[in-house]
Amino acid sequence: MSSRVAHDETRHEIIETITKASSVVLPSKVENEEVISRRGVIKQVLAGLAIASSTLMTGFTSAWPVVLPKLQESSQSFQVTDQDVAWLVSLQGMVGMFTSLVSGHLVEYFGPRRLLLMCLLPTFGLWMLMAFTPYLSLLYISRVGLSISTYLIKSFFQAYIAELCQPRIRGAIAALPEIIIAIGVLATYTLANFFSYEFVTAVLAAPFLPLFIIVIFIPESPYWLARRNRMEEAKSSLKKLRGEKDTVERELHILTNTNKAQSSAWTQVHELKKGKNIRPVLFVLAILALREISGQTAVFSYSVYMFRQAGIELDAFLCTVFIGCVRLICSFVAAGALDCAGRRPFLIGSSVICGLAELISGVAILLNFPGTSWIPLSGLLIYVAAYGLGQGSIPWILMGELLPTPVRSIGSSIITFSYCTLLFIVNLLFFRMTESLSLGGALCLFSMANLVLAVVTFVWLPETRGKSLDELETAFTRPRREQQFSQEVRIRSAQAVNVR
């Protein structure tokens, strides 16, 4: 009887302890309940769609090398060698390395909206210069200019979308850029299959003047306005995006509390020293680094060369159209499913399938049995499908969701710099890798990085679906003593059950 009383008292203490701990750690459900109107949804979707459309630049510039074989084969006043091709492809990464060093400062100084307008303004002229240039040097210069715009946009567009959209619809809208990129890639591949280098490159210039005009009417980020202490403008921006007065007041209060971070570089560096801020930065950096080491940029930029080296019987340009179609379809599926299933399972599954697809394709190329040329094509199509379902969009979504407000700008710059460094290295060395390891060996090596990415995601990625940016600020901040306390509670609970 006494042991039973002791057990009841112990159980009561444990429950009371857990309740107190939960009241400290967990936010109130009522206080964080999200109110969203149909009108607000429409406004946020339109704003997110306009921002996402700027990533057409990424789709066009990453797929544009597919027309370089036609430029090499045409009679130009200048000659384009394979070494020129390697440099023209890898220039994006090299330019992105330097661009990322200043992108955070530029975003904080100009604001996301104004910087987006500045990036879009020169793009039409640069594409036209690249289409009709009489000199190889001008081809390089225009490629550099487009790469600057591309990587400035890439450094902040997901954070901009995350700051404009409410959690309930943020996942679907944040997946739009990958759909737009896939549309850009497919459009480039399709045009390259039918038309000349000059025509394809000139057509890629067409969307950017109308897009520049549309972006003029998008509200500025309320988070950036709050960081600049322009609270009335932040409130006005929220009203344009939300519509509901109660929602605006509640979010403005949260925004005021979560935007204590100063915008100067020195204070952000100081904040970066804190474990709760550096951990998410390093995690997102690892995700993007492993994705690049897995060779995704080589698959999409050197696709014609890869299909020719693999000995696939179909026309290489037609095969790239298949790749573009599969990527677009799977990007649409991901956009509809990310807010239902979550980021974590999609990224884990995508990484595993990408790794296995590359491994099978690589082994098939190395063995080179007669009549098996369909295996590398099928493997690469499966890789592209899995990439579109997870790896294409989720790492950039995580950068917008997981980076804490105090270090969002400098964290984005660090991640983008590292990503661009690896992009440059992989693109520049791809031809050399295929010469020394063969294409099959390179694909097998790429597959290992995908499998490591799956493990890293499984172990460390928290689920971000449906959570506000305020809640995600604490995703990597659980103190060690709380973990030890929870473990002690579980042990004591088990002991109490045994006593019973």
Side-chain angles (χ1 to χ4, degrees):
M1 185 76 175
S2 59
S3 63
R4 174 113 185 162
V5 171
H7 162 67
D8 290 340
E9 290 177 354
T10 303
R11 184 172 61 180
H12 177 73
E13 290 175 2
I14 293 171
I15 293 173
E16 185 178 359
T17 304
I18 294 173
T19 304
K20 289 179 180 179
S22 301
S23 65
V24 173
V25 175
L26 300 176
S28 171
K29 215 171 185 181
V30 176
E31 290 177 2
N32 289 281
E33 186 177 353
E34 184 183 28
V35 180
I36 183 167
S37 67
R38 182 177 298 178
R39 188 177 177 184
V41 169
I42 294 172
K43 289 180 177 180
Q44 291 170 54
V45 168
L46 290 176
L49 180 60
I51 298 168
S53 296
S54 66
T55 59
L56 267 176
M57 182 83 69
T58 302
F60 287 167
T61 54
S62 63
W64 172 80
V66 78
V67 299
L68 288 176
K70 292 195 171 185
L71 181 61
Q72 288 179 292
E73 295 162 5
S74 65
S75 55
Q76 291 285 335
S77 57
F78 55 88
Q79 183 181 7
V80 179
T81 65
D82 283 350
Q83 191 65 22
D84 288 319
V85 170
W87 276 104
L88 286 168
V89 174
S90 58
L91 263 177
Q92 269 197 299
M94 186 174 69
V95 170
M97 290 163 55
F98 296 102
T99 302
S100 63
L101 296 176
V102 298
S103 61
H105 304 291
L106 293 176
V107 172
E108 287 300 326
Y109 184 79
F110 292 107
R113 176 177 161 274
R114 275 195 293 175
L115 186 57
L116 182 56
L117 288 170
M118 292 165 64
C119 291
L120 292 173
L121 184 59
T123 53
F124 179 85
L126 290 170
W127 278 111
M128 296 303 289
L129 176 62
M130 198 155 64
F132 301 108
T133 177
Y135 305 109
L136 182 61
S137 58
L138 289 179
L139 183 64
Y140 275 92
I141 291 171
S142 53
R143 178 72 169 169
V144 168
L146 288 171
S147 298
I148 291 172
S149 293
T150 298
Y151 280 95
L152 280 176
I153 292 171
K154 185 172 281 191
S155 68
F156 69 86
F157 78 89
Q158 278 291 5
Y160 192 15
I161 289 174
E163 290 175 352
L164 293 187
C165 301
Q166 290 170 280
R168 193 180 302 176
I169 61 172
R170 189 179 64 231
I173 297 176
L176 284 176
E178 178 58 24
I179 294 176
I180 302 296
I181 292 171
I183 291 172
V185 169
L186 177 58
T188 307
Y189 287 167
T190 305
L191 289 168
N193 190 41
F194 295 104
F195 301 106
S196 67
Y197 164 85
E198 291 81 5
F199 182 85
V200 172
T201 308
V203 168
L204 299 184
F208 295 106
L209 283 181
L211 183 58
F212 175 83
I213 296 171
I214 292 170
V215 171
I216 292 174
F217 300 98
I218 298 176
E220 183 56 273
S221 164
Y223 282 76
W224 179 78
L225 292 168
R227 289 197 296 271
R228 309 294 286 184
N229 293 319
R230 293 156 62 174
M231 300 309 299
E232 286 301 318
E233 293 176 67
K235 185 176 182 180
S236 175
S237 178
L238 285 172
K239 284 181 179 179
K240 293 177 183 177
L241 293 163
R242 307 291 186 258
E244 297 288 336
K245 183 178 179 181
D246 293 341
T247 304
V248 170
E249 294 296 335
R250 184 185 301 108
E251 192 165 345
L252 188 66
H253 175 71
I254 295 173
L255 187 149
T256 303
N257 291 332
T258 57
N259 278 278
K260 305 279 186 185
Q262 301 89 344
S263 59
S264 68
W266 173 250
T267 52
Q268 290 202 37
V269 170
H270 179 72
E271 288 290 330
L272 196 61
K273 296 177 182 178
K274 298 179 180 178
K276 66 177 183 179
N277 292 330
I278 190 63
R279 281 192 291 269
V281 172
L282 292 177
F283 174 75
V284 177
L285 171 59
I287 293 291
L288 276 167
L290 287 168
R291 193 192 75 163
E292 293 315 303
I293 296 171
S294 70
Q296 65 88 21
T297 182
V299 171
F300 293 110
S301 296
Y302 291 105
S303 52
V304 171
Y305 298 93
M306 290 179 70
F307 288 130
R308 288 177 175 175
Q309 286 188 39
I312 294 171
E313 296 174 2
L314 292 175
D315 178 70
F317 287 99
L318 181 60
C319 291
T320 63
V321 176
F322 294 156
I323 281 184
C325 290
V326 170
R327 180 175 178 178
L328 179 59
I329 292 169
C330 292
S331 297
F332 268 111
V333 173
L338 277 179
D339 269 345
C340 298
R343 285 57 150 164
R344 179 180 162 85
F346 266 84
L347 187 55
I348 294 172
S350 171
S351 301
V352 171
I353 296 172
C354 283
L356 293 177
E358 285 184 320
L359 183 61
I360 293 170
S361 299
V363 171
I365 293 171
L366 288 172
L367 296 177
N368 195 24
F369 290 134
T372 58
S373 64
W374 61 271
I375 296 178
L377 175 59
S378 301
L380 287 174
L381 289 176
I382 293 171
Y383 168 87
V384 171
Y387 179 88
L389 288 171
Q391 285 191 10
S393 60
I394 292 176
W396 297 108
I397 293 174
L398 294 178
M399 190 165 84
E401 291 180 332
L402 291 180
L403 297 195
T405 300
V407 296
R408 184 164 292 163
S409 294
I410 192 170
S412 297
S413 297
I414 292 171
I415 292 168
T416 306
F417 176 83
S418 304
Y419 158 79
C420 291
T421 303
L422 290 170
L423 185 75
F424 169 71
I425 293 171
V426 172
N427 277 330
L428 186 63
L429 299 181
F430 178 73
F431 279 141
R432 296 182 184 179
M433 287 179 66
T434 56
E435 288 174 2
S436 58
L437 299 175
S438 80
L439 177 60
L443 288 173
C444 291
L445 186 62
F446 290 155
S447 70
M448 297 299 104
N450 269 314
L451 298 178
V452 173
L453 174 55
V455 173
V456 170
T457 303
F458 178 79
V459 174
W460 283 293
L461 177 62
E463 183 53 70
T464 64
R465 174 173 61 97
K467 295 183 180 179
S468 68
L469 295 184
D470 182 43
E471 292 174 298
L472 292 174
E473 293 277 337
T474 61
F476 286 83
T477 59
R478 193 182 186 201
R480 188 182 300 273
R481 61 177 177 275
E482 286 186 23
Q483 296 176 9
Q484 293 173 347
F485 172 75
S486 298
Q487 188 175 7
E488 287 178 13
V489 168
R490 287 195 298 269
I491 293 172
R492 290 175 59 190
S493 179
Q495 290 173 346
V497 171
N498 292 333
V499 169
R500 182 178 180 181

